[in-house]
Amino acid sequence: MPSDATPDLYADPLRFGQRVQILRERRGMTQAQLAGLIGISEHTLRKIENGQRGTPTLDRVLRIAEALRVRDLADLTGHPDAHVDLFIGPGHPRLAAVKAAIDGFSLSSNTEPPPVPHLEARLARAWKDRHAAKNHREAIGKLLPDLIRDAEALVRHADSSAERRRAQALLAQTYSLSQFFIAYQPDSALLWRVAERGMVAAQDSGDPHAIGVAAWLLAQAHRDTGPRHYDAADAINLEAVRFLEPLLPDADDHVLAIAGALEFELGYTAARRRETGTAWRHWDKANDMAGRLPADYYHPITSFSQAVMGAHAVTVAVELHQGGESVRQAARADEHAIPSRPRRARHRIEEARGYQLDAQPDVAIATLEKAARTAPETIKYNGYARAIILEEVESTQAARRHRASELAMDIGLLAA
């Protein structure tokens, strides 16, 4: 190997500081630039890189990884067992309490469950709070521990098969709400437990709508895990679509909407595979289902509706890496018609991805600023948004770099 070649991260054991230096130089960053991004002095960073300081705290390691856009923590630490995908957001302060409620099975019958109508009303209120709140994880995170415990108690105390099925449907819905809270947080095992428990509870309920929602979320868990799970995502989606299809001629709006949401998910996964024709074919079928819904209808869980189909078109174009098409679809979509704050912010993020693909980084940053004003927790936990911001923090254009840095600090992505 020539003496000036970049060292291989895995050729020989390397100190943490050496790995930081290699990854920094691969990014074309100076010590001053990286130090500024992670909130330390250039002198301190120099000591870390040359081994005069030991490995920093976990929080600082994560900031370094974020700034260097390292997808796998093992690349930075050199420890294969530190295999952590960093394309996720930070842990929410209420995650521990939600996890404790999920993990804490109560086998006694001492806890008196709430009346069914009371739990139904609380769940409905929680979904409304999620859609209305700027910081939606905080809004539902504080409600989830009691909802989980009460829904589980309701199942335990059911006296008849009909009561048990109704209780299982409510438990499945509670797990669905939990999955929205847990998604993109650093506890993938907890996410899988919730997704699978939700599917089991939904199947036990026999409720078509509950089964459809649980399948929709379980398929997303598979798809977001990566390409090796795309087939599993499709298998779950297709099974749920086939299950619901005979019911659709007489279905209510909720069942029709979840069937449409599942159809779109098939298109979403196809777009991830870059299967253009298949992706748009499923979008067309979902759009036809949306057209059968009332114009002002909005599914309380998936957000499926006529209004959201424009946003879904942007997502398909972005996942297909069709920058120009994604920008055209963004121009057609009316994000103001989407009543849910987190869903509107997600749409803005997808638009920003489209603008970034179309070589319009200034518009992408401006669009992410709008997303942050709509629902800051959505952008804080979204890996795509954070990747765009960090890329533009390194821009050679001073105005763009400053704007991206301000946004990064506003959402807590970089040290102030």
Side-chain angles (χ1 to χ4, degrees):
M1 177 186 292
S3 60
D4 60 347
T6 302
D8 185 343
L9 282 173
Y10 295 103
D12 296 294
L14 297 171
R15 296 191 314 268
F16 174 80
Q18 289 175 301
R19 291 174 177 276
V20 172
Q21 180 181 354
I22 292 167
L23 291 166
R24 173 180 61 75
E25 290 174 349
R26 285 183 182 178
R27 294 288 310 142
M29 296 173 65
T30 67
Q31 286 183 329
Q33 287 172 326
L34 178 57
L37 289 174
I38 61 178
I40 63 176
S41 69
E42 186 178 351
H43 176 72
T44 298
L45 177 61
R46 190 176 300 114
K47 284 191 170 186
I48 290 173
E49 289 190 351
N50 65 25
Q52 290 179 271
R53 287 201 174 194
T55 302
T57 62
L58 178 60
D59 178 67
R60 181 142 290 157
V61 169
L62 293 174
R63 282 193 179 276
I64 292 171
E66 192 88 69
L68 293 172
R69 298 209 291 281
V70 176
R71 286 293 300 268
D72 192 330
L73 202 58
D75 292 343
L76 187 59
T77 64
H79 298 297
D81 56 347
H83 182 79
V84 179
D85 187 347
L86 291 170
F87 208 59
I88 56 175
H92 192 278
R94 295 190 183 273
L95 179 60
V98 173
K99 176 180 169 63
I102 292 167
D103 290 345
F105 279 111
S106 175
L107 300 178
S108 68
S109 58
N110 296 331
T111 304
E112 187 69 24
V116 168
H118 180 61
L119 185 58
E120 287 176 332
R122 286 163 59 197
L123 276 169
R125 180 73 257 174
W127 284 112
K128 287 181 180 178
D129 287 350
R130 179 190 178 270
H131 290 300
K134 295 179 72 172
N135 292 309
H136 48 94
R137 278 185 171 80
E138 174 63 23
I140 62 175
K142 63 185 178 183
L143 304 175
L144 276 171
D146 286 339
L147 284 170
I148 292 164
R149 285 188 282 266
D150 286 349
E152 290 176 347
L154 200 63
V155 171
R156 287 197 306 273
H157 285 260
D159 291 327
S160 67
S161 58
E163 286 181 3
R164 183 175 177 82
R165 285 195 299 272
R166 190 177 181 187
Q168 290 283 25
L170 291 172
L171 179 59
Q173 188 182 155
T174 305
Y175 284 140
S176 296
L177 186 65
S178 301
Q179 192 168 337
F180 275 95
F181 173 81
I182 298 164
Y184 307 115
Q185 294 200 59
D187 196 334
S188 58
L190 184 65
L191 178 72
W192 280 110
R193 283 202 296 284
V194 166
E196 290 169 352
R197 286 184 194 174
M199 190 74 247
V200 171
Q203 288 176 307
D204 285 349
S205 77
D207 182 290
H209 179 253
I211 292 170
V213 170
W216 181 77
L217 284 165
L218 184 56
Q220 287 191 12
H222 276 286
R223 187 192 64 231
D224 290 345
T225 301
R228 289 181 299 175
H229 288 249
Y230 289 172
D231 288 346
D234 279 343
I236 293 163
N237 260 322
L238 286 167
E239 185 65 24
V241 167
R242 284 193 289 264
F243 170 74
L244 293 174
E245 193 170 18
L247 309 176
L248 296 184
D250 302 313
D252 63 22
D253 289 342
H254 283 355
V255 172
L256 182 60
I258 192 58
L262 286 160
E263 192 68 51
F264 170 70
E265 286 301 311
L266 288 167
Y268 194 160
T269 305
R272 286 267 176 100
R273 287 192 172 105
R274 311 289 170 81
E275 296 172 351
T276 303
T278 302
W280 287 114
R281 176 169 57 82
H282 284 297
W283 183 90
D284 286 337
K285 291 179 72 172
N287 194 45
D288 289 343
M289 290 186 179
R292 293 169 57 184
L293 295 166
D296 60 350
Y297 173 85
Y298 200 79
H299 190 258
I301 299 174
T302 69
S303 298
F304 190 81
S305 58
Q306 292 184 29
V308 88
M309 289 311 300
H312 282 338
V314 174
T315 296
V316 170
V318 168
E319 292 293 346
L320 290 169
H321 282 209
Q322 298 173 342
E325 179 63 20
S326 62
V327 169
R328 285 189 290 274
Q329 292 292 348
R332 296 192 190 106
D334 181 9
E335 63 94 13
H336 295 293
I338 301 174
S340 168
R341 275 184 175 270
R343 189 61 188 81
R344 284 205 308 274
R346 170 69 187 276
H347 173 50
R348 288 295 196 189
I349 292 168
E350 296 295 279
E351 285 186 324
R353 292 177 67 196
Y355 288 122
Q356 194 77 352
L357 282 171
D358 201 45
Q360 300 185 54
D362 290 310
V363 184
I365 290 297
T367 305
L368 290 177
E369 289 172 339
K370 293 177 183 178
R373 289 195 292 271
T374 300
E377 278 194 348
T378 296
I379 188 171
K380 181 176 182 178
Y381 286 84
N382 187 280
Y384 295 114
R386 289 172 20 239
I388 292 171
I389 294 168
L390 285 170
E391 183 172 339
E392 299 312 325
V393 162
E394 300 172 27
S395 171
T396 57
Q397 303 294 319
R400 186 187 309 152
R401 184 171 64 247
H402 175 74
R403 196 170 182 179
S405 298
E406 288 289 321
L407 180 56
M409 288 187 283
D410 286 345
I411 66 171
L413 181 55
L414 297 178

